[in-house]
Amino acid sequence: MRNFTVLLFIILSSFTALAQKSNTVKGTILNDKSFLPVDDVNVINTTKVKGTISKRDGSFSIEANLNDSIHLSYPGYIPIKLKVTNDWLNNENLKIYFTEQTIVLDEIVIKKFELTGYLEVDTKLIELNDKMQFDFYRRNQTPYYGTAMGTFFSPVDVVYNLFKGKDKKLKKLEAIKEDQNMIALMQTRYDREIVCGLLEITREDIVKSLQNCNYSDRFIYTATDFQIYQALNDCYDNSKVLATKKRNTSN
């Protein structure tokens, strides 16, 4: 009886170890027209919050289990979201074809400074404009919510409603702080695709949210993806506090 118990324990331990074992999926990213490899592509497991990039030959490997979501993105290409299947887990290498985005510009408007022709004056005008329009440090560490928008529209509501119901995703992103590879990757990215993939939002949502939290345009458009992710977390945390106060006041 004791031998049977020991044997049963060994079998159960083996099954547990197999269940906890992390799998890896591999792939090669190619341009769908030229069939040439595409390197430096963001490859993110949005389920496990793990990330890597494709190598020069387009190949990559990433930790993943069955039904995990893999998000692939690169500037100038249409992002791809894939589900990990048994076939992919059992396949040595999956070929993924990337399609280039087509962008049509209807009209380009170039604004100019109203310069005076005097170098000393014009230099100050340019510096003043840059400070007013692109002040990188303007409250980017401490988001501020204005109250002069009136009762029919509140910036707090915009931010709160955008992320309402996404608490799990926001909490899951805390894992980024423990993963040096993800931090390093997001600190070198500026295309917002990683943030969009993880939070399942659009670039327009990011801009709208951070503008409502009074972040400067310079920060919104030039910060790294990691800085944007931190800003969105802070923005949402503050919006929850203010939304709660607003409800309590109305009651």
Side-chain angles (χ1 to χ4, degrees):
M1 182 67 183
R2 193 174 75 176
N3 291 338
F4 175 76
T5 303
V6 173
L7 179 61
L8 182 62
F9 175 76
I10 293 173
I11 292 173
L12 289 175
S13 299
S14 299
F15 277 118
T16 303
L18 288 172
Q20 293 176 345
K21 181 182 177 182
S22 296
N23 296 309
T24 300
V25 292
K26 299 179 180 180
T28 301
I29 304 172
L30 305 169
N31 183 294
D32 69 337
K33 295 268 192 341
S34 66
F35 301 108
L36 294 174
V38 185
D39 64 338
D40 206 35
V41 174
N42 303 320
V43 183
I44 308 296
N45 183 330
T46 59
T47 305
K48 293 185 176 297
V49 195
K50 298 290 183 181
T52 186
I53 59 173
S54 61
K55 299 178 182 178
R56 181 168 293 184
D57 61 356
S59 66
F60 70 88
S61 64
I62 189 169
E63 180 183 324
N65 289 327
L66 184 65
N67 293 324
D68 282 0
S69 294
I70 308 297
H71 188 269
L72 303 99
S73 63
Y74 185 79
Y77 287 84
I78 299 174
I80 297 175
K81 189 173 183 179
L82 302 173
K83 183 81 73 175
V84 176
T85 62
N86 279 317
D87 288 341
W88 192 2
L89 286 170
N90 296 325
N91 191 359
E92 186 66 24
N93 191 12
L94 177 68
K95 288 186 178 180
I96 302 169
Y97 295 93
F98 249 27
T99 302
E100 293 185 40
Q101 287 181 325
T102 302
I103 301 175
V104 178
L105 297 178
D106 294 328
E107 183 180 7
I108 299 176
V109 178
I110 302 176
K111 295 183 179 180
K112 64 179 181 179
F113 294 111
E114 294 296 333
L115 301 180
T116 65
Y118 294 94
L119 182 61
E120 184 177 351
V121 175
D122 291 341
T123 301
K124 291 180 179 180
L125 285 174
I126 293 173
E127 289 177 353
L128 178 60
N129 183 82
D130 187 66
K131 180 176 178 57
M132 293 175 65
Q133 298 294 330
F134 307 107
D135 185 359
F136 181 83
Y137 297 101
R138 180 169 63 93
R139 300 188 184 94
N140 69 28
Q141 294 297 325
T142 308
Y144 168 78
Y145 299 85
T147 57
M149 300 296 291
T151 57
F152 296 100
F153 177 80
S154 169
V156 176
D157 293 335
V158 173
V159 178
Y160 181 75
N161 291 332
L162 174 64
F163 291 108
K164 188 177 181 180
K166 295 182 182 290
D167 290 57
K168 283 188 177 181
K169 296 186 184 303
L170 289 165
K171 288 179 180 178
K172 187 173 65 175
L173 289 183
E174 291 296 316
I176 291 176
K177 297 178 181 178
E178 307 298 327
D179 191 329
Q180 294 301 316
N181 289 331
M182 278 296 293
I183 292 175
L185 177 59
M186 294 182 73
Q187 284 178 336
T188 61
R189 302 300 179 183
Y190 300 84
D191 59 11
R192 310 296 178 246
E193 281 296 342
I194 294 179
V195 181
C196 292
L198 289 170
L199 289 178
E200 296 183 3
I201 58 178
T202 66
R203 289 187 182 89
E204 290 74 18
D205 290 332
I206 294 174
V207 172
K208 190 175 182 180
S209 298
L210 295 182
Q211 284 177 340
N212 280 311
C213 291
N214 214 31
Y215 281 86
S216 68
D217 287 344
R218 177 72 175 269
F219 176 82
I220 293 171
Y221 291 107
T222 65
T224 66
D225 280 3
F226 185 68
Q227 289 172 317
I228 292 294
Y229 139 75
Q230 289 179 309
L232 286 172
N233 271 334
D234 292 341
C235 189
Y236 180 59
D237 288 341
N238 281 281
S239 72
K240 284 196 297 184
V241 172
L242 293 175
T244 301
K245 289 182 178 179
K246 182 180 177 181
R247 285 197 301 270
N248 292 337
T249 301
S250 61
N251 292 336

